[in-house]
Amino acid sequence: MSVSDSKIVSTEPLDSKDARWTKLVKTTYTDPHGATRDWESAIRPTRPADSPIDGVGILALLHRPSGSEILLQKQFRPPVGGVAIEIPAGLVDEGETAAQAAVRELREETGYVGVAAGVGPIMFNDPGFCNTNLKIVHVTIDLSLPENQPQNLKPKLEENEFIETFSVPVAELYARCKEWEREGFAIDARVGTLAEGVEVARGLGL
């Protein structure tokens, strides 16, 4: 079984009253000239009342003798009709900090046990379309721990989650993104932006 075995069966309009994860809204605002305008967008209604963010993205590096590798995932995403290359990620639960959510989601999705080493600023995924936001959490994984040995990794995926976890050398990320595009994968913006950043840093000699 592979995430690539998933396929779209049908697509149809969804009434807002039947939507659980997203809602469409019309926002009326005034522009700098005082003109009244309307904007259509989507909102995520599941954000916890005590949280400023919807979820977290997890930047986890595996430091091996051969060099550092970034932990990635393959997951079928119905909105794009194909398999996406992503960093581990998930929604924040009520009463949970971004760091706590990242450590929990990492273990649930990959089996790795990590420690949050840093939390980035709030980032909006697509501010012209939706209000969904997140924080990138840097998580350190100690590969010497018994629980992080390949044979001991035990992800706890939900019934509707089908995720393949893998890693690639950070230095090769940009080139790999080009390959994945040619192979038909959808590249998540966080992965693509990180790859662009690595490439820019290389060009600047940083």
Side-chain angles (χ1 to χ4, degrees):
M1 183 185 70
S2 167
V3 293
S4 299
D5 294 330
S6 299
K7 63 180 181 179
I8 298 294
V9 175
S10 65
T11 301
E12 60 187 43
L14 177 66
D15 193 300
S16 185
K17 66 179 177 60
D18 298 322
R20 176 184 176 187
W21 301 103
T22 59
K23 299 288 184 183
L24 293 178
V25 297
K26 181 176 77 170
T27 300
T28 301
Y29 70 102
T30 56
D31 69 17
H33 299 290
T36 301
R37 301 183 183 278
D38 293 329
W39 194 282
E40 296 178 3
S41 62
I43 63 171
R44 184 183 286 279
T46 57
R47 181 183 301 171
D50 61 351
S51 175
I53 56 173
D54 296 302
V56 293
I58 303 161
L59 179 56
L61 298 180
L62 305 178
H63 299 293
R64 305 188 189 279
S66 57
S68 296
E69 299 181 2
I70 182 171
L71 195 63
L72 299 174
Q73 297 179 334
K74 290 181 181 178
Q75 188 169 185
F76 181 79
R77 292 299 194 182
V80 299
V83 176
I85 306 292
E86 310 172 340
I87 58 175
L91 298 178
V92 173
D93 288 341
E94 187 172 354
E96 203 173 37
T97 66
Q100 291 168 336
V103 171
R104 173 183 57 77
E105 285 286 350
L106 181 71
R107 186 161 195 173
E108 290 177 357
E109 292 192 351
T110 72
Y112 281 106
V113 177
V115 177
V119 180
I122 295 177
M123 298 166 51
F124 289 83
N125 299 350
D126 189 348
F129 171 68
C130 63
N131 74 335
T132 303
N133 63 9
L134 54 75
K135 288 187 175 184
I136 298 294
V137 181
H138 298 245
V139 176
T140 300
I141 298 176
D142 186 348
L143 293 178
S144 69
L145 295 177
E147 54 265 42
N148 288 330
Q149 299 304 305
Q151 68 273 17
N152 296 329
L153 297 178
K154 295 180 173 59
K156 297 179 181 179
L157 299 176
E158 296 181 12
E159 182 272 336
N160 63 342
E161 286 185 315
F162 303 91
I163 298 173
E164 294 177 9
T165 300
F166 65 106
S167 62
V168 300
V170 174
E172 297 177 11
L173 186 58
Y174 184 79
R176 292 291 187 92
C177 282
K178 295 284 190 178
E179 293 176 8
W180 293 327
E181 181 185 36
R182 289 193 292 270
E183 293 169 359
F185 290 101
I187 302 170
D188 183 272
R190 284 155 288 197
V191 174
T193 300
L194 179 60
E196 294 285 353
V198 172
E199 192 68 8
V200 168
R202 178 184 289 115
L204 294 175
L206 300 177

